Structure formats: structure tokens, C-alpha cells
Amino acid sequence: MMKLRTLALPAIATLTIALAGCQDGTRENVRAVGSSTVLPFAELVAEMTARANPGAGTPIIEGIGSGAGIQLFCQGTGASTPDIANASRRMKLSEFETCQRNGVQEITEIQVGLDGIVFVSTAGGITMNLTPKIVYEALAASPYGEEQTNETWSDVDPSLPDVPILVYGPPPTSGTRDALKELVLEAGCDTDPRMEALAESDEDRHGQVCTEVRNDGKFVEGGEQDNLIIQKISNNRNAVGVLGYSFLEKNAGRVQGLPVNGFEPTYENISNFSYPGARPLYIYVKNAHLQAIPGLRSYVEEWSKNWGPDGALAARGLVASDAEKRAANLEKATSFTPLTADELS
């Protein structure tokens, strides 16, 4: 489900800006689309940008998922296309190449901070110490290429609760789903030496075996919005949810985090990558729109002013990147150095 929010503040003047070389009209607002995980941070930046620039149009933020956002972003340049794609995983080389074919030649990649995909249950609900191997064997459509027979958590590991497996997670269009596959499922799959060998001999088959989730009702797609997953698990003490860390922090009284490899999903464990689900968050800026929409530079600048450990975004739940990474991305947010295909290879 797409979430569209236009952040309206009083007395904002209308400013019409024609996009350079554009044949499809004009637009007065910065428009960012993509990850629902990045959405609350992007909205806060939009609010701060509007307050700092009262004469400009207020940024419009849409939460439609990382993949869908990048797809829209890469359709071309002009008023009908977004200025920014928000993503909870890195742009794929194939997506970058699509952008290039469609005339989106210069793209600036900016890492705005960190998040973690975390496993949670309702407060007072099921607790267990997970590992990527356990999660993989519980959720894989065909674990290690064999029939999926695990019905309860104790079927996977006798030390776990003897209750039915039920996990609510993100849909395929979500960057959180991509992170689940890459950071957890694939890592769990490759604990078996046969799978490492399969990766060498048949990469496509390896990807299918290691990342395809079961569709028998044990894994249920909860939608793009993590709040919907929280609602689902709140009604079942034995249900587990997969969502972004910021939603765990925001709902600390309603849900509890489950440890993975013995590490709790905390700010510190995500910032130092001890928690296996730690991941960077990105915004992708369409450089062709920088001159056409003056507010675009201001919006990006507002991100960089607030992404530190003591910034407004940390208070909203964003995990700050380390000082070196922040400095490198501040340079990108200032100079707008274009991303290259080699960086994604």
C-alpha cells in the first residue's frame, strides 16, 4: 500500500519551477519516493526543510518500497519523475543501468545512516535466541534444496518453543525483504558447505534455494508499512515480525526485540554491526534536477545537518553512521559526485 503524505504548513508561498529540458510541465515541490523504512526520517527532514525555507514548496514524500521507488526514479527526468529515491538497500547495478538507458545519467548516492532489520514479538510474547541458520530453516521454501517439513520452532531446534512458526514480514518490493534475504537467509543457508559449493556451480539455483521463502502460511507478507506488521503480531503472542529497528524503538512498549547470535537489537549493536541485520540507508538524488528545483539542494543539506548521533534524526530512531562515513557522505551531499557502475559492481 502506498503511503503519500504532503506536509502542509501555513503561509507557504507557491513557487513554480520549470524543469530544465522538461516537456511534461512544471512542479513546485521536491518529490521523494521509496522505502517505507526511510519514510519517517524523510518526512522529518521535509518538515525541517519547510521551516527553514518558508518561501519554497513543501517536499512530498511517498512510501512505496525501495524497489518501486527506484523504478519510478529511473523512468527519466522531468516534472513527472521523482527527484529522490529513498532506499533501505543499495541500488542494484541493473537498476543503475535502467536509469542510464532512460536518460538519468548522473545520480548521487548518499548514505544517510543505518538501520537494522530486527525480529520482534509482542510485549510479553514468544522469546527465543535466533540465528541466521534457524531463521533460514524456519522460513526457506526448500531448505538446502530439500522439502520444508518444519511446522514448529522446536522442529528447527529442540531448544526453541514448541509453537507453530508464524512470521509476518515485508513483501518482495521492500528493501527490508532484500535485507532479510541477503543478511539473514543467505547467511543461514551458507552455513551448509553444500550451499557454498552450489554458489560456485550454479549461482541462480543458489539464490533460489537460499532466499525463496515458504508460501504455506508460515511466512505472511504484512505489507510495506512496518506498523501493519506490529498490529498483526500484537494479536498473537506466538507470532514473530520482521521490521526496521526504528519501528522497534518507536513501539518499545508494544513489542520486544529478539536476539540474533546472542546480540540484542539495540542502537549500539546495530551501529557496530554486531547485530546481523544491520544495514545502511540511502537516498539517491537526480542531479539533473538540482538546478531546476532549488529546494532540492536545501532538502539534501537538511539531511546532512541532522544525521549525526545527536541530531534530530537520531531522536526519531535513525542509527548514525560512524564519523568517517558521515564525512564522506557530507562531501557527496555537497559536491553531488555522480555514482558510477564500477561502484555497484
Side-chain angles (χ1 to χ4, degrees), residues 94-106:
S94 60
E95 293 169 330
F96 179 83
E97 292 170 342
T98 296
C99 267
Q100 299 294 296
R101 287 195 300 271
N102 291 338
V104 186
Q105 296 294 319
E106 292 193 350

Side-chain angles (χ1 to χ4, degrees), residues 56-105:
T58 307
I60 297 172
I61 316 298
E62 301 171 50
I64 58 175
S66 298
I70 292 173
Q71 183 179 18
L72 279 179
F73 177 85
C74 288
Q75 285 182 350
T77 60
S80 64
T81 66
D83 311 306
I84 291 176
N86 300 325
S88 57
R89 47 89 170 164
R90 199 176 196 194
M91 179 179 283
K92 300 174 183 177
L93 178 59
S94 60
E95 293 169 330
F96 179 83
E97 292 170 342
T98 296
C99 267
Q100 299 294 296
R101 287 195 300 271
N102 291 338
V104 186
Q105 296 294 319

Side-chain angles (χ1 to χ4, degrees), residues 121-203:
S121 63
T122 190
I126 188 172
T127 60
M128 50 187 165
N129 183 21
L130 299 171
T131 67
K133 181 175 184 291
I134 287 172
V135 174
Y136 171 71
E137 293 181 3
L139 299 185
S142 54
Y144 313 117
E146 301 170 358
E147 181 182 1
Q148 174 59 273
T149 61
N150 295 315
E151 296 294 321
T152 68
W153 289 104
S154 61
D155 288 338
V156 179
D157 187 311
S159 68
L160 299 179
D162 184 21
V163 298
I165 296 167
L166 177 58
V167 177
Y168 289 95
T173 53
S174 170
T176 303
R177 178 71 164 265
D178 290 327
L180 172 65
K181 293 193 297 186
E182 296 170 12
L183 301 176
V184 181
L185 295 179
E186 196 164 358
C189 179
D190 286 340
T191 58
D192 188 318
R194 295 173 299 168
M195 297 301 100
E196 290 190 320
L198 182 62
E200 295 293 329
S201 63
D202 190 340
E203 186 175 355

Side-chain angles (χ1 to χ4, degrees), residues 232-249:
K232 294 288 187 180
I233 66 172
S234 295
N235 297 322
N236 188 332
R237 290 172 55 83
N238 291 327
V240 172
V242 183
L243 40 78
Y245 165 75
S246 60
F247 288 85
L248 166 61
E249 185 175 77

